[in-house]
Amino acid sequence: MNILVAGGAGFIGAHLVDALLASGDNVIVADKLIFGDYNIQHLLNDKELVDSGKYKFYQVELSDQENVDKIFSENKIEAVYHMAANSDIQKGGKEPSIDFNDTLLTTRAILEGMRKANVKNLFFASTSAVYGEMLDIDLNETTGGIKPASYYGGAKLASEALISSYTSMCDMNVVIFRFPNVIGPRLTHGVIFDFIKKLGKNPRELEILGNGTQCKPYIYVHDLVEAITKLTKEWTLGEQVFNLSVLGEGTTVTRIAEIVVEELGLKNIEFKYTGSDRGWKGDVPRFKYDISKVLSTGWRPSHTSDESVRQTVRDALKK
């Protein structure tokens, strides 16, 4: 199958591209390289892969309709995996236009490109942030009254709404995943990345945003990609929405710090908290996810949240 992966040079997108290529698909990646080409260097440097036509890369602004239309006109695309979005929530919180452009306008351009080219199959990477701050509710795919607490969550929820309308109007086959923090090999940002970087500069103390009790599930990227490929092997008419997460409890920020310190082999580290029950405005300190729907498909994550964190630290230290 000829597949377009929008945002395929990002952390999750690049791992998905690896899996699609391994399964024999032809992959077209479109990305504006916000974090550079770090995640796809191994593909760009594979001359045989590129020359064979099985992998093609466009460095492009995906919120621009002309750019997107050009990609569809030059390739016989059969399915789109839409992974493109602003992934730095703190950065987007300081400048709302980032989420508006990189998430919502990108979604609109991709949907229009699909409509014009009559492409029916779409996977969309959404987020737990669409639910907003619903602290003591078991969140499932039909939970009502959701109110995103960040520009990031708002742009993702608006994208979901737009996708729903195109699904209905254009008879599309759509799978949407709402997942929490994703970590693993080739991670380029986030709390684990930040902690390792901070301790590299000062191995005696570590600043922790918030009070450290913030608790969220962390899913290992290989588990997520396995779920994506499993649930998009066959496309069915209409829209399917799934919560994706780990089994069991999430991991507190303090526990993440402890795991990083343990794996670095450091002793007597002083943790300095900035206070408050969250790291920044728009950050949701905790939530509970019901993933019974996706578990009913036969998929199960192979890592707990703590195991995902520890393995990711080990992955980062192998560099």
Side-chain angles (χ1 to χ4, degrees), residues 17-311:
V17 169
D18 289 341
L20 293 172
L21 288 170
S23 68
D25 292 306
N26 300 318
V27 180
I28 301 100
V29 168
D31 198 296
K32 65 178 182 179
L33 300 182
I34 292 176
F35 294 104
D37 63 4
Y38 168 71
N39 280 305
I40 57 169
Q41 284 179 0
H42 62 294
L43 299 175
L44 296 174
N45 294 334
D46 190 334
K47 189 174 185 300
E48 182 178 349
L49 178 67
V50 174
D51 290 346
S52 70
K54 292 192 67 64
Y55 176 81
K56 186 185 291 188
F57 176 71
Y58 289 83
Q59 183 175 351
V60 66
E61 171 57 70
L62 284 167
S63 64
D64 187 307
Q65 192 66 57
E66 289 187 8
N67 292 341
V68 173
D69 290 346
K70 182 174 184 289
I71 294 170
F72 279 98
S73 68
E74 293 180 355
N75 302 276
K76 294 182 179 180
I77 295 168
E78 299 168 86
V80 176
Y81 288 76
H82 179 11
M83 318 298 291
N86 168 45
S87 59
D88 190 335
I89 301 177
Q90 290 188 63
K91 184 178 179 181
K94 296 175 182 177
E95 181 46 67
S97 64
I98 297 174
D99 286 298
F100 181 71
N101 184 81
D102 293 358
T103 302
L104 183 56
L105 293 186
T106 292
T107 299
R108 178 189 179 278
I110 288 171
L111 288 169
E112 268 298 280
M114 292 180 68
R115 182 184 68 82
K116 294 173 186 177
N118 198 33
V119 178
K120 300 294 187 181
N121 302 318
L122 173 67
F123 171 84
F124 178 63
S126 191
T127 172
S128 57
V130 300
Y131 291 105
E133 194 159 332
M134 306 177 79
L135 303 183
D136 299 309
I137 297 174
D138 287 329
L139 302 170
N140 63 41
E141 294 83 356
T142 60
T143 296
I146 59 179
K147 298 178 181 179
S150 64
Y151 304 130
Y152 170 76
K156 284 287 192 178
L157 185 58
S159 292
E160 284 195 26
L162 201 56
I163 289 168
S164 293
S165 65
Y166 273 77
T167 301
S168 173
M169 296 297 293
C170 303
D171 298 319
M172 291 171 62
N173 317 310
V174 175
V175 175
I176 295 174
F177 278 8
R178 295 171 176 167
F179 47 82
N181 301 60
V182 184
I183 54 179
R186 308 201 301 262
L187 190 67
T188 55
H189 61 287
V191 62
I192 295 172
F193 184 85
D194 290 343
F195 281 174
I196 293 174
K197 187 176 180 180
K198 286 178 179 179
L199 288 168
K201 292 181 178 178
N202 184 353
R204 294 178 299 279
E205 67 178 37
L206 177 64
E207 180 191 62
I208 298 175
L209 301 182
N211 60 18
T213 64
Q214 308 98 293
C215 184
K216 301 175 186 178
Y218 289 79
I219 185 169
Y220 200 64
V221 67
H222 292 165
D223 289 339
L224 173 61
V225 168
E226 180 184 37
I228 295 172
T229 55
K230 177 180 174 63
L231 271 69
T232 57
K233 281 183 179 177
E234 296 182 2
W235 299 92
T236 57
L237 181 63
E239 179 184 282
Q240 300 181 76
V241 180
F242 295 92
N243 285 347
L244 255 288
S245 190
V246 296
L247 298 172
E249 299 297 320
T251 307
T252 67
V253 177
T254 293
R255 183 58 187 145
I256 294 173
E258 290 170 348
I259 291 172
V260 172
V261 168
E262 289 168 9
E263 292 299 322
L264 286 172
L266 300 175
K267 304 289 184 181
N268 302 318
I269 307 301
E270 181 182 1
F271 292 166
K272 291 193 172 181
Y273 299 95
T274 62
S276 179
D277 66 343
R278 65 202 63 208
W280 58 88
K281 192 171 181 60
D283 179 31
V284 176
R286 68 182 189 276
F287 64 90
K288 295 191 295 183
Y289 238 9
D290 178 350
I291 61 170
S292 56
K293 182 177 179 180
V294 73
L295 291 176
S296 71
T297 69
W299 173 84
R300 293 179 73 84
S302 60
H303 300 74
T304 66
S305 184
D306 279 13
E307 288 170 347
S308 298
V309 171
R310 189 173 296 279
Q311 185 57 54

